[in-house]
Amino acid sequence: MKEERAAKGGEQRSVDERYTQWKSLVPVLYDWLANHNLVWPSLSCRWGPQFEQATYKNRQRLYLSEQTDGSVPNTLVIANCEVVKPRVAAAQHISQFNEEARSPFVKKYKTIIHPGEVNRIRELPQDSKIVATHTDSPDVLIWDVESQPNRHATLGVNNSRPDLILTGHQDNAEFALAMCPSEPFVLSGGKDKSVVLWSIHDHVSTLAADQGATKSPGSGASNSKPSAEGPTVQARGVFQGHDDTVEDVQFCPSSAQEFCSVGDDSCLILWDARTGSSPAVKVEKAHNADLHCVDWNPHDVNYILTGSADNTVRMFDRRNLTSGGVGSPIHIFEGHTAAVLCVQWSPDKSSVFGSSAEDGILNIWDYDKIGKMEDSAGRKASTSPPGLFFRHAGHRDKVVDFHWNAADPWTIVSVSDDGESTGGGGTLQIWRMIDLIYRPEDEVLNELEKFKSHLLTCS
């Protein structure tokens, strides 16, 4: 027991040292950073629509949750976030935050009383005020967050009523959830080892027609039927092929009929709804452990990322994938020391992606840099893993989710579920690395040269 306590103490010291070092470098590494202490951890974070543009900052919705201990209800939170524009924040102000305080840039706008904890939130690309949530149940819940009434989270209060309930799973579906970029389709995976597909097309059109009306959104949809909790929609397709829990799903960016899934069976499966409910391609051994996350490149539909409990991120080219056997990734990215929980491609640059893990680190990678990070003599210019060009070390516990901001592509929101050693609760951070890190090298050198001549003139 003493040894265990000593080991835990050592781990905590190392985390604290890393965090102290990171905080001292914040003014050098970041163009802007907002740190927001959460009383309850949020297991998911997503950007909503931008609703106001000003000279120095833009205002945007932010979707979060509160995973409570039962003393108050679990909630889906809609916040208003002020996103400071690039090259506006003064360096001396960026690191002046209190870890225990709430950021003035993040304000709670509305609370929805959620039936069960919110494990995942996904917004509909065609209408980002409509979000789907997963909880510890077989159903997917759909919410129109703008028309939902604001509620107070007090003990014993009734749950908010979802605008739509998607049914079709036979067991809990807790994490795997995706929205289609091109059609109002929803995809889900669960403990029943199945992937389920729905269309909410009629629901979305009904919402548009009934905006501001008193009847429940979706109640006029042709494929829905009323229930005690809300109107329901049945599945368009159920896809069987995994041998264990499905942990994540993702649509192909160019086709509403093609999608992929990963699970605790170490498999990556590609599906095509046009050819039936069996796998189109099943890679039996995509990783050496459970797979937690997957993302499909929106700029080049041949590339798929997977993250696993084996601490690695792998990139696959779907043109090379065949069923059975061991998957052959194009590259294995090794920069985490614990299970990878989330991977996501940048909305701005086709070769850039992020990965977050239980080690408290959010890494930013550029696979175009692999093999190019050498000096003129051919020596490795960095000791970092190939392709890694930024490490966000501002969280002190597992980074459970993050989301690139499509309206401001180098701005990221990330959340950590903080352990008792750091006071519990969670930490929300909104951050943008300094642009000298990701801009083309010749541009950066020219700019630094200008500053140099300016400084010499001033002196």
Side-chain angles (χ1 to χ4, degrees):
M1 190 63 85
K2 271 187 188 172
E3 287 171 3
E4 201 175 297
R5 274 203 300 271
K8 277 188 180 168
E11 278 173 30
Q12 191 52 45
R13 273 194 303 278
S14 130
V15 169
D16 291 343
E17 283 163 15
R18 183 186 78 192
Y19 181 80
T20 303
Q21 183 187 22
W22 168 80
K23 199 168 178 190
S24 70
L25 293 171
V26 164
V28 181
L29 296 176
Y30 294 85
D31 178 65
W32 178 60
L33 182 136
N35 188 91
H36 188 73
N37 177 258
L38 301 170
V39 177
W40 303 108
S42 178
L43 298 187
S44 196
C45 59
R46 301 295 287 187
W47 290 107
Q50 197 177 83
F51 63 89
E52 189 181 331
Q53 294 186 334
T55 309
Y56 298 111
K57 54 195 174 187
N58 297 322
R59 289 184 174 84
Q60 194 167 352
R61 295 276 194 257
L62 192 59
Y63 303 139
L64 304 163
S65 67
E66 293 176 316
Q67 182 195 23
T68 72
D69 60 1
S71 59
V72 290
N74 290 281
T75 64
L76 173 62
V77 175
I78 299 91
N80 288 338
C81 178
E82 293 188 336
V83 181
V84 174
K85 290 186 175 180
R87 299 193 165 203
V88 167
Q92 66 266 30
H93 296 312
I94 294 173
S95 63
Q96 292 176 358
F97 62 84
N98 174 1
E99 289 87 344
E100 306 305 317
R102 304 203 167 187
S103 169
F105 295 103
V106 180
K107 299 257 186 347
K108 193 181 280 192
Y109 165 68
K110 185 181 282 189
T111 300
I112 292 168
I113 308 299
H114 198 272
E117 64 185 36
V118 182
N119 296 327
R120 191 145 299 177
I121 307 164
R122 290 293 178 263
E123 74 291 349
L124 188 67
Q126 298 83 26
D127 187 347
S128 56
K129 73 179 191 304
I130 295 176
V131 303
T133 58
H134 256 176
T135 186
D136 298 332
S137 88
D139 300 329
V140 179
L141 308 179
I142 303 289
W143 309 87
D144 180 336
V145 294
E146 293 300 326
S147 68
Q148 280 283 336
N150 188 24
R151 306 283 301 281
H152 293 291
T154 53
L155 192 60
V157 69
N158 290 332
N159 292 328
S160 297
R161 183 174 181 261
D163 292 284
L164 200 65
I165 298 170
L166 310 187
T167 62
H169 277 294
Q170 303 305 309
D171 201 344
N172 286 358
E174 295 171 356
F175 292 103
L177 184 63
M179 299 288 222
C180 177
S182 55
E183 296 278 345
F185 290 174
V186 182
L187 196 63
S188 166
K191 287 187 174 178
D192 58 3
K193 309 172 190 173
S194 63
V195 174
V196 184
L197 174 70
W198 296 267
S199 168
I200 57 168
H201 191 278
D202 294 329
H203 172 61
V204 174
S205 55
T206 304
L207 269 178
D210 297 338
Q211 202 64 49
T214 53
K215 72 173 186 170
S216 168
S219 58
S222 59
N223 64 339
S224 64
K225 57 179 183 177
S227 77
E229 304 83 15
T232 63
V233 164
Q234 294 175 353
R236 173 173 279 211
V238 178
F239 301 83
Q240 305 282 356
H242 280 284
D243 300 315
D244 208 332
T245 300
V246 180
E247 293 288 357
D248 202 11
V249 288
Q250 191 56 257
F251 279 97
C252 173
S254 63
S255 168
Q257 305 299 325
E258 295 176 76
F259 36 93
C260 63
S261 59
V262 295
D264 290 344
D265 54 5
S266 304
C267 291
L268 163 66
I269 298 183
L270 273 57
W271 310 85
D272 189 334
R274 295 165 297 197
T275 60
S277 58
S278 297
V281 178
K282 181 176 182 177
V283 182
E284 298 280 359
K285 199 80 179 160
H287 281 259
N288 301 320
D290 298 358
L291 273 74
H292 291 151
C293 48
V294 65
D295 198 25
W296 206 315
N297 194 321
H299 310 279
D300 187 334
V301 295
N302 291 311
Y303 296 137
I304 294 170
L305 289 173
T306 56
S308 165
D310 66 9
N311 307 351
T312 71
V313 175
R314 299 190 177 191
M315 188 168 99
F316 294 92
D317 185 334
R318 70 167 174 170
R319 294 166 295 190
N320 302 341
L321 294 178
T322 52
S323 288
V326 178
S328 300
I330 301 171
H331 191 77
I332 299 175
F333 298 88
E334 298 178 299
H336 288 289
T337 57
V340 178
L341 300 177
C342 184
V343 289
Q344 197 195 4
W345 291 102
S346 160
D348 186 56
K349 195 163 181 242
S350 63
S351 60
V352 171
F353 66 89
S355 63
S356 69
E358 289 182 356
D359 58 10
I361 300 290
L362 201 167
N363 284 329
I364 305 296
W365 309 81
D366 186 345
Y367 75 78
D368 274 356
K369 293 188 186 297
I370 294 170
K372 297 178 186 173
M373 298 171 89
E374 296 178 343
D375 63 18
S376 54
R379 296 180 297 244
K380 274 197 173 178
S382 168
T383 55
S384 298
L388 178 64
F389 76 96
F390 191 81
R391 283 167 72 85
H392 177 64
H395 293 284
R396 283 176 288 182
D397 216 314
K398 50 187 177 291
V399 184
V400 288
D401 201 10
F402 71 93
H403 193 201
W404 298 85
N405 190 340
D408 187 355
W410 285 94
T411 299
I412 291 174
V413 58
S414 51
V415 284
S416 57
D417 182 357
D418 299 342
E420 291 307 316
S421 52
T422 49
T427 302
L428 166 76
Q429 290 180 339
I430 303 160
W431 52 275
R432 183 193 304 119
M433 71 181 85
I434 196 161
D435 64 4
L436 297 177
I437 294 171
Y438 60 81
R439 279 168 52 208
E441 191 178 338
D442 53 344
E443 262 187 41
V444 172
L445 291 173
N446 286 339
E447 184 164 321
L448 292 175
E449 193 63 35
K450 280 182 198 166
F451 276 112
K452 178 182 168 187
S453 47
H454 175 71
L455 289 169
L456 289 172
T457 310
C458 292
S459 61

